[in-house]
Amino acid sequence: MFVKVSIKFFFFKLFLNFGASRVNHITVFMKNNDEILNLFEHYLGQLQLPKEPQRLYEPIIYSMSGGGKRLRPVLLLLCCEAFGGDATAALSAAAAVEMFHNFTLLHDDIMDNAAVRRGKPSVQARWGENVAILSGDTMMIYSYKLLSQIPSEKLPMVMEVFTSMALQVCEGQQYDMDFEERQQVSVVDYMQMIELKTAALLAGSATIGAILGGASAADCRKVYRFAQELGLAFQLQDDLLDSYGDERLGKKIGGDILEGKKTCLMLNAMSRATEEDRDILRHTHLDTTLSDEEKILRVKEVYNRYDIQRVIEQQISLRFDKALSVLDDLSIDGDSAEHLRVFARSLMGRKK
Amino acid sequence: MFVKVSIKFFFFKLFLNFGASRVNHITVFMKNNDEILNLFEHYLGQLQLPKEPQRLYEPIIYSMSGGGKRLRPVLLLLCCEAFGGDATAALSAAAAVEMFHNFTLLHDDIMDNAAVRRGKPSVQARWGENVAILSGDTMMIYSYKLLSQIPSEKLPMVMEVFTSMALQVCEGQQYDMDFEERQQVSVVDYMQMIELKTAALLAGSATIGAILGGASAADCRKVYRFAQELGLAFQLQDDLLDSYGDERLGKKIGGDILEGKKTCLMLNAMSRATEEDRDILRHTHLDTTLSDEEKILRVKEVYNRYDIQRVIEQQISLRFDKALSVLDDLSIDGDSAEHLRVFARSLMGRKK
């Protein structure tokens, strides 16, 4: 089977060399989203991390094999293939963004004192904080090691995108922590924060894939915007589902409300509410006379008074539609665009 | 003055183009160690870090401007110039290794719960642990940002050295923490640990400088060995001075003994001592009936019984002489070698 693909690929290269433009023939070689995911999981499974020191590398293997949806590497590989690149040659870069993402989880879990990650004990809960710090550091460095395995002529540009993305994630995390202590946070502040903390990583991953696939600078910018809008929609939906999700899907509702988190729901409600309702929004989670259920109910009553669910749903749709509209404007064939659309839909996909 | 240098440089380049071998003419352009340090401090002073978010970048500026001997960047720049490179073009790489070194201090101080660094409150003591984690992460990423400003054709090789060095530092730190909990640690284990934790960073910095200066692969390997041996001598001396330093120099003696740390003194003593003396070495720091002075005295009595000070001094001399002997074997002119010798001596220089 591999031989067959290789021969096909040989003819395809020949065909390209004759200067034909990019046409539907590419689709013969394109992988669909499941194939991309399988390819990536197979690569990760074969990745040889050092064995020693055990307490440094064991938590890394635990973290990297702990599931997760592999959104960022899959998006990177899809974008690479969309521009005619070979996903196989981009696997180390895909692993780099996944390793980086998992590094942020290790350190975020220390900062949030989170005991559980993906249904299992977090690294800091299982091995302690010092191990989580140092294994996290190692993962971040290792992500650069993986990244530097790409063709050297593309390394400077990819490094720039990766490093800029990584700094934005740190800045977003800092703003997120700052917001907890700040009295006044606007909806605009919040959108800028999630653009850094959540959207930058998707946008950077997509752009690295596009660069590796050979996209033009103009297309790289568009791919960035596509993934950025998608990332914003994704985060807004994440906030929405925390208060309005379907309990039957096993997710507990109201965690953000009980923590008094400044989510997009809270901030949009604050910007619309009367002073009296604002007081409810500000103080309900601190009210020790109320049960958890009563707190959630009381805050959601205020949300409902200002139709916050619909407001956020509209914002999500706006972002999502913007993301998809950028796709129509890319110099890629129809099947590639469809793969990216499938990805975008599945990302948002708790409700199809 | 700048014009003069440029014209000289032009003729020098011309001269090189005629295929002449590297001769003493180079020394006209070479900077001595103080000039190198000044050049570096000036570069750091001009470095524009972002202003926002303030709680992310302020601790980074605090850490980077908090003194320190700038050993690693100076060594990098000296090695660059030794092979005929221009230190000015290597400043971003020098800043990268200094930024990386300071990142390790931020995270080490969390792991060791250290309140003081270079006579000032540590970042974690001043801003809290979460800030120290996240600002540290940002410094590490920023070090890659600085690194990627070098000429792109050298980026892949320099990245490889930098990343390998960074991983070794993390591994060394993990072994160091492991040793605290392990009963049995040999002198060999210890030497391997400090090779990773301390020597790798000096060796990597020197090698990056050599690469940027245009050294051959063989010379790069020698430069690595020079700095590695020097780094080992430096760490052994650091251990020695903690127990046998000069109190008049303001440094408090005996900290390692009071912590029961497995230093090279302790491990060499353990390998030579009778079972009775080993018991003293193992348990004295835990003995609540003794004052600090009595504890230090009792352990040093055992050290003295086995002549540990002389044993370690011999090991230091051996490493130091090895380092210097590598210098004689490099394809660099006499003045460059002398600059590196001056650096090596000043590094060890509490006693000349």
Side-chain angles (χ1 to χ4, degrees):
Chain A
M1 195 274 186
F2 267 118
V3 176
K4 221 163 129 192
V5 170
S6 297
I7 291 171
K8 271 189 185 168
F9 189 65
F10 172 76
F11 282 112
F12 173 58
K13 292 274 275 190
L14 212 68
F15 166 78
L16 271 189
N17 284 343
F18 278 102
S21 65
R22 195 177 285 122
V23 289
N24 276 339
H25 291 77
I26 288 180
T27 59
V28 176
F29 313 97
M30 275 205 49
K31 299 163 194 75
N32 69 30
N33 301 23
D34 287 342
E35 285 164 342
I36 287 283
L37 179 60
N38 288 340
L39 188 70
F40 181 68
E41 292 289 358
H42 184 252
Y43 176 82
L44 266 195
Q46 290 203 316
L47 198 62
Q48 294 284 335
L49 285 167
K51 294 265 180 294
E52 298 284 339
Q54 203 190 339
R55 271 161 64 94
L56 188 68
Y57 287 107
E58 202 185 353
I60 299 178
I61 295 165
Y62 175 81
S63 161
M64 290 297 288
S65 56
K69 294 185 286 290
R70 314 295 191 198
L71 299 175
R72 295 147 197 89
V74 166
L75 178 58
L76 186 153
L77 296 171
L78 284 174
C79 288
C80 174
E81 293 241 322
F83 290 97
D86 177 10
T88 315
L91 283 166
S92 74
V97 298
E98 182 67 6
M99 184 76 87
F100 180 84
H101 171 60
N102 279 273
F103 139 73
T104 66
L105 301 182
L106 256 70
H107 282 195
D108 282 5
D109 284 347
I110 304 171
M111 295 184 240
D112 301 341
N113 201 17
V116 176
R117 169 67 62 185
R118 294 170 184 148
K120 294 196 299 180
S122 65
V123 169
Q124 68 121 3
R126 181 160 163 180
W127 281 276
E129 199 181 286
N130 285 356
V131 167
I133 291 175
L134 197 58
S135 292
D137 292 344
T138 306
M139 290 170 88
M140 198 218 276
I141 300 166
Y142 212 92
S143 68
Y144 276 101
K145 184 181 169 82
L146 290 163
L147 198 68
S148 58
Q149 288 170 25
I150 62 167
S152 61
E153 74 275 10
K154 291 196 168 152
L155 187 58
M157 199 193 287
V158 168
M159 272 273 285
E160 197 181 321
V161 175
F162 188 90
T163 298
S164 157
M165 162 191 100
L167 288 172
Q168 287 182 64
V169 172
C170 291
E171 291 172 1
Q173 170 70 4
Q174 183 63 54
Y175 282 121
D176 198 12
M177 294 197 299
D178 286 349
F179 288 178
E180 284 174 29
E181 292 170 26
R182 247 170 65 182
Q183 283 292 330
Q184 291 282 343
V185 178
S186 71
V187 173
V188 174
D189 292 336
Y190 182 80
M191 293 307 294
Q192 286 172 344
M193 184 275 285
I194 64 171
E195 196 173 308
L196 293 166
K197 186 173 169 170
T198 307
L201 193 44
L202 277 167
S205 301
T207 309
I208 290 170
I211 293 170
L212 293 176
S216 69
D219 273 340
C220 284
R221 280 193 295 275
K222 287 176 195 163
V223 163
Y224 190 93
R225 266 193 42 228
F226 156 69
Q228 187 180 40
E229 295 294 345
L230 191 62
L232 292 171
F234 177 62
Q235 184 59 54
L236 294 177
Q237 176 160 288
D238 203 56
D239 283 8
L240 185 67
L241 292 176
D242 196 272
S243 295
Y244 289 94
D246 190 342
E247 296 236 17
R248 288 168 304 179
L249 296 177
K251 176 133 175 64
K252 217 168 153 0
I253 296 299
D256 289 346
I257 292 175
L258 295 176
E259 282 180 46
K261 266 186 87 172
K262 297 188 183 77
T263 64
C264 64
L265 285 75
M266 174 64 78
L267 297 170
N268 272 283
M270 286 290 283
S271 74
R272 285 163 170 79
T274 62
E275 195 47 50
E276 196 179 340
D277 280 340
R278 277 191 205 175
D279 256 7
I280 298 175
L281 293 173
R282 271 193 212 105
H283 300 119
T284 301
H285 72 286
L286 301 168
D287 188 339
T288 51
T289 67
L290 298 176
S291 72
D292 283 356
E293 284 66 31
E294 286 168 327
K295 289 177 185 173
I296 294 169
L297 202 68
R298 186 166 294 187
V299 170
K300 283 179 76 172
E301 272 170 16
V302 179
Y303 285 175
N304 293 340
R305 215 153 22 246
Y306 300 96
D307 215 0
I308 294 301
Q309 181 175 8
R310 200 185 47 84
V311 168
I312 303 299
E313 276 170 356
Q314 278 177 346
Q315 292 181 9
I316 293 169
S317 292
L318 207 72
R319 298 286 174 181
F320 188 70
D321 293 347
K322 235 194 228 176
L324 290 193
S325 77
V326 178
L327 281 189
D328 300 332
D329 199 25
L330 286 176
S331 342
I332 56 175
D333 66 294
D335 282 12
S336 297
E338 184 53 25
H339 285 163
L340 288 170
R341 254 180 244 114
V342 168
F343 174 86
R345 273 186 236 116
S346 78
L347 183 73
M348 306 298 294
R350 303 183 202 184
K351 300 175 188 173
K352 257 283 160 73
Chain B
M1 194 276 184
F2 267 120
V3 175
K4 222 162 125 193
V5 170
S6 297
I7 291 170
K8 273 191 186 164
F9 190 66
F10 173 75
F11 281 111
F12 173 61
K13 293 272 277 191
L14 211 67
F15 167 78
L16 270 189
N17 285 342
F18 278 102
S21 65
R22 197 177 284 122
V23 289
N24 276 338
H25 290 77
I26 287 179
T27 59
V28 176
F29 312 98
M30 273 204 52
K31 299 165 195 72
N32 69 30
N33 301 23
D34 287 343
E35 286 165 341
I36 287 283
L37 180 59
N38 288 339
L39 187 71
F40 181 68
E41 290 291 356
H42 184 252
Y43 176 82
L44 266 195
Q46 291 203 316
L47 198 63
Q48 295 283 336
L49 286 165
K51 294 266 180 291
E52 298 282 339
Q54 204 191 338
R55 272 161 63 92
L56 189 68
Y57 286 107
E58 203 185 352
I60 298 178
I61 294 165
Y62 175 81
S63 162
M64 290 297 287
S65 57
K69 295 184 286 290
R70 315 296 192 197
L71 300 175
R72 296 147 196 88
V74 166
L75 179 60
L76 185 153
L77 296 171
L78 284 174
C79 288
C80 173
E81 293 240 322
F83 290 96
D86 177 9
T88 315
L91 282 166
S92 74
V97 298
E98 182 67 7
M99 185 76 88
F100 179 83
H101 171 60
N102 279 273
F103 138 72
T104 65
L105 301 182
L106 257 71
H107 282 194
D108 282 5
D109 284 347
I110 305 171
M111 293 185 241
D112 300 341
N113 201 17
V116 176
R117 169 66 62 184
R118 296 170 182 147
K120 294 195 299 181
S122 65
V123 169
Q124 68 121 2
R126 182 160 162 181
W127 281 276
E129 198 180 287
N130 285 357
V131 167
I133 292 175
L134 198 57
S135 292
D137 292 345
T138 306
M139 290 170 88
M140 198 218 275
I141 300 165
Y142 212 91
S143 67
Y144 276 100
K145 183 181 169 81
L146 290 163
L147 198 69
S148 59
Q149 288 169 25
I150 62 169
S152 61
E153 73 276 11
K154 292 199 167 148
L155 188 58
M157 201 193 288
V158 168
M159 272 274 283
E160 197 181 320
V161 175
F162 188 90
T163 297
S164 157
M165 165 191 98
L167 288 172
Q168 286 181 64
V169 172
C170 291
E171 291 172 2
Q173 169 69 4
Q174 183 63 53
Y175 282 122
D176 198 12
M177 295 197 299
D178 287 349
F179 289 177
E180 284 174 29
E181 292 171 27
R182 247 169 66 182
Q183 283 293 330
Q184 292 282 343
V185 179
S186 71
V187 173
V188 173
D189 291 337
Y190 181 80
M191 294 307 294
Q192 286 173 344
M193 185 275 283
I194 64 172
E195 195 174 307
L196 294 166
K197 185 173 170 171
T198 307
L201 193 44
L202 277 167
S205 300
T207 309
I208 290 169
I211 293 170
L212 293 175
S216 68
D219 273 341
C220 285
R221 279 192 296 275
K222 287 176 196 164
V223 163
Y224 190 94
R225 265 191 44 225
F226 156 69
Q228 187 181 40
E229 295 292 346
L230 192 61
L232 292 172
F234 176 62
Q235 183 59 54
L236 294 178
Q237 176 161 287
D238 203 57
D239 283 8
L240 185 66
L241 291 175
D242 197 273
S243 295
Y244 288 93
D246 189 342
E247 295 237 16
R248 289 168 305 180
L249 296 177
K251 176 134 173 64
K252 219 170 149 358
I253 297 298
D256 288 347
I257 292 175
L258 295 176
E259 282 181 47
K261 265 186 87 171
K262 297 188 184 77
T263 66
C264 64
L265 285 76
M266 174 63 80
L267 298 170
N268 272 282
M270 287 290 284
S271 74
R272 285 163 170 79
T274 61
E275 195 46 51
E276 198 180 337
D277 281 340
R278 279 192 203 172
D279 255 10
I280 297 175
L281 294 172
R282 271 193 213 104
H283 300 118
T284 301
H285 73 286
L286 301 168
D287 189 339
T288 51
T289 68
L290 299 176
S291 72
D292 283 356
E293 285 66 30
E294 287 168 327
K295 287 177 186 174
I296 294 169
L297 202 68
R298 186 166 295 189
V299 170
K300 282 180 74 172
E301 272 169 15
V302 179
Y303 286 176
N304 294 340
R305 222 168 358 259
Y306 300 96
D307 214 1
I308 293 301
Q309 182 176 8
R310 201 185 48 83
V311 167
I312 303 299
E313 276 170 357
Q314 280 179 345
Q315 292 181 8
I316 293 169
S317 292
L318 206 74
R319 298 286 175 183
F320 188 68
D321 294 346
K322 234 193 228 176
L324 290 193
S325 77
V326 178
L327 281 188
D328 300 332
D329 199 25
L330 285 176
S331 342
I332 57 175
D333 67 295
D335 283 12
S336 297
E338 184 53 25
H339 285 163
L340 289 170
R341 255 180 243 115
V342 168
F343 174 85
R345 273 187 236 117
S346 78
L347 183 73
M348 305 298 295
R350 305 185 201 182
K351 300 176 188 173
K352 256 282 159 76

